[in-house]
Amino acid sequence: MNVIGGISRKGLFWKSVLLGIVLTISGCSSYSEPDQVRSKTLGSSNGDVVIGAVWPFAQQNDQFHEGLELALEQINQKGILGGKKIQLLEMDDEASTTKGMAIAQQLTDNPAVSAVIGHRGSAVTVPASRIYAHAGIVLMTPASTSPKLTDVNSSYIFRNIPNDNQLGQALAMYAGETKHRNIAIYYTDDEYGRGLANAFEDQAAQSGLHVVDRLSGYKDMADITRIVDKWKTLDSDLVMVAAGASDGIAFVKAIREAGLNIPVIGGDALDSAEFANAGDVVSGTIVASVYHEMGQSKLNQSFRQQFMNKYGKEPGKWAAQAYDSLNLLAEGIEKAGSRSPKEISKALLAMKGWEGVTGQHYFDSQGDVQGMSIVMKKLEAGKFKRLDEVRIPNSF
């Protein structure tokens, strides 16, 4: 977005525009710039390292807060930079692009903030990332997979999750190892859906697969019936769904009701409690994800036990991503020996082979994570069961 590049941290024009945005939001929701910030300060604020964490906590927490909280407690027990603590500022963007950008400006206007973890959806993270980068604040995103995030050549933007190209390639490679050859693609017309569908289709040809049809959206059950009849005529034997959990559930339910019973595979957005709890209609779906709670590394086993002891439940993908992201930032700060965003960025780019509960992490020159395994999982009886790991090339 051209307007983002013009944001000045101290510019009166953009401050007035963003103030207007915040006031507009305040008039139609419970958001108030300082009052609704959930902050957690451990120890004195003097000398603390301040990190923002932005997520749709109220609507889509999915254990993200719990993962941050556990990591924060453990980091602050040991201390950082010679005994200092991390002060975590948790802010809720309600999955809104407008609010996410307003929060990004608020955080960059705070001279104490060294880095930010967030946001969730690419539609929010991509425009917000331009504000952080322009202000020279490190952004570590644990969730946003759009390739557009890191195409601006900024040393301050880091993605701690495989991008859509990597996830789509992993899905196509997995499908290529099965007996299925004629694949139909359903995707949502947004950053996530388009990116994942494009990457899958590009790799499908290299894996000997034939994409027989590709569509986005449908009107009603009559439309679904026409789609299903077409896919049967084209001998489709697999459906790839590039959509979030809610859209994915609705589509799979619709094609099942219309009589299409071929297997379904999908991206990491389907790896969620919402999708898993949708019932028998989605059972058997195979997803590409980044975490499985039964991973056998000692680090993950320890994390899993500590999480269960504290919260009484198994950790999910977003708990693990939150835990790793905060620990990874803390390691970067420690190696930098500084709270300076510029020095933290250099340290993160220099780190090789860092091990987290989701596996190995290091960043390429664009800030994209490399070395991370993608885990294939199958939904059975309301639980995702691990099938295999897929190792993917480091560059695209």
Side-chain angles (χ1 to χ4, degrees):
M1 296 174 64
N2 293 334
V3 294
I4 295 175
I7 292 175
S8 170
R9 189 172 175 179
K10 297 183 180 299
L12 293 176
F13 172 76
W14 277 103
K15 280 183 176 293
S16 63
V17 169
L18 284 164
L19 178 60
I21 291 172
V22 173
L23 290 174
T24 300
I25 296 169
S26 300
C28 60
S29 75
S30 62
Y31 179 78
S32 172
E33 185 169 324
D35 296 338
Q36 296 299 317
V37 177
R38 294 192 297 143
S39 65
K40 176 169 291 188
T41 307
L42 299 182
S44 170
S45 60
N46 294 328
D48 284 352
V49 178
V50 181
I51 296 176
V54 192
W55 193 259
F57 287 105
Q59 299 174 10
Q60 298 174 290
N61 177 48
D62 289 338
Q63 301 182 347
F64 196 76
H65 167 75
E66 290 87 339
L68 288 173
E69 183 177 56
L70 182 59
L72 186 68
E73 289 178 0
Q74 294 173 356
I75 292 165
N76 284 344
Q77 283 174 3
K78 294 184 290 186
I80 193 171
L81 296 180
K84 295 180 176 61
K85 297 182 184 297
I86 288 178
Q87 176 184 344
L88 195 63
L89 302 178
E90 290 186 332
M91 306 178 74
D92 195 323
D93 65 12
E94 297 182 8
S96 160
T97 300
T98 303
K99 184 171 290 187
M101 292 176 67
I103 289 174
Q105 187 66 37
Q106 179 181 335
L107 287 170
T108 58
D109 281 342
N110 182 346
V113 175
S114 296
V116 175
I117 297 172
H119 302 229
R120 181 163 177 162
S122 296
V124 182
T125 310
V126 171
S129 72
R130 286 18 178 188
I131 298 175
Y132 297 121
H134 185 78
I137 299 294
V138 171
L139 172 68
M140 176 76 69
T141 179
S144 300
T145 56
S146 170
K148 290 182 180 179
L149 180 71
T150 54
D151 67 3
V152 291
N153 196 30
S154 170
S155 61
Y156 291 101
I157 300 173
F158 294 86
R159 188 204 312 273
N160 191 32
I161 190 171
N163 63 28
D164 288 336
N165 291 335
Q166 295 166 315
L167 289 163
Q169 185 178 39
L171 280 166
M173 289 170 64
Y174 180 83
E177 294 174 356
T178 71
K179 66 181 186 299
H180 307 294
R181 286 295 176 266
N182 296 325
I183 301 177
I185 298 175
Y186 174 78
Y187 69 100
T188 48
D189 191 16
D190 53 25
E191 288 286 350
Y192 176 75
R194 289 190 300 269
L196 186 60
N198 290 343
F200 179 89
E201 188 168 11
D202 289 344
Q203 179 61 37
Q206 300 179 42
S207 298
L209 305 174
H210 181 210
V211 175
V212 298
D213 195 24
R214 169 174 165 154
L215 66 89
S216 174
Y218 54 92
K219 297 177 182 177
D220 49 30
M221 277 306 298
D223 202 16
I224 283 288
T225 299
R226 288 191 292 271
I227 292 166
V228 165
D229 288 344
K230 178 183 179 182
W231 287 358
K232 286 180 177 179
T233 301
L234 293 171
D235 292 326
S236 303
D237 55 18
L238 184 69
V239 178
M240 199 286 279
V241 175
S246 296
D247 289 328
I249 292 167
F251 182 73
V252 174
K253 181 179 180 180
I255 61 173
R256 295 297 189 235
E257 288 180 356
L260 189 66
N261 295 313
I262 61 178
V264 172
I265 62 174
D268 67 303
L270 301 186
D271 180 17
S272 70
E274 180 184 1
F275 194 85
N277 294 331
D280 292 341
V281 70
V282 298
S283 186
T285 300
I286 293 173
V287 302
S289 190
V290 296
Y291 178 71
H292 192 271
E293 67 273 10
M294 299 306 291
Q296 294 305 301
S297 74
K298 290 183 179 179
L299 188 60
N300 182 60
Q301 289 177 353
S302 175
F303 163 70
R304 175 175 174 268
Q305 191 60 56
Q306 291 167 345
F307 192 92
M308 290 179 66
N309 289 345
K310 185 173 179 62
Y311 301 108
K313 54 189 173 184
E314 294 270 11
K317 173 182 65 177
W318 295 126
Q321 282 294 99
Y323 184 85
D324 271 358
S325 294
L326 187 53
N327 274 298
L328 185 52
L329 264 180
E331 180 75 8
I333 293 167
E334 193 71 9
K335 286 188 177 296
S338 169
R339 71 188 69 213
S340 160
K342 184 176 182 180
E343 297 306 314
I344 296 168
S345 170
K346 289 179 181 177
L348 289 171
L349 288 169
M351 290 168 59
K352 304 297 179 185
W354 185 86
E355 288 291 335
V357 301
T358 58
Q360 189 182 86
H361 302 63
Y362 69 93
F363 298 100
D364 64 17
S365 60
Q366 291 293 110
D368 278 309
V369 73
Q370 303 293 343
M372 223 173 149
S373 293
I374 293 176
V375 182
M376 304 304 299
K377 299 192 287 189
K378 184 175 183 178
L379 181 61
E380 294 181 354
K383 280 189 70 72
F384 283 105
K385 298 183 179 180
R386 181 175 180 141
L387 295 178
D388 201 359
E389 274 188 7
V390 179
R391 290 279 179 183
I392 51 179
N394 288 337
S395 60
F396 296 85

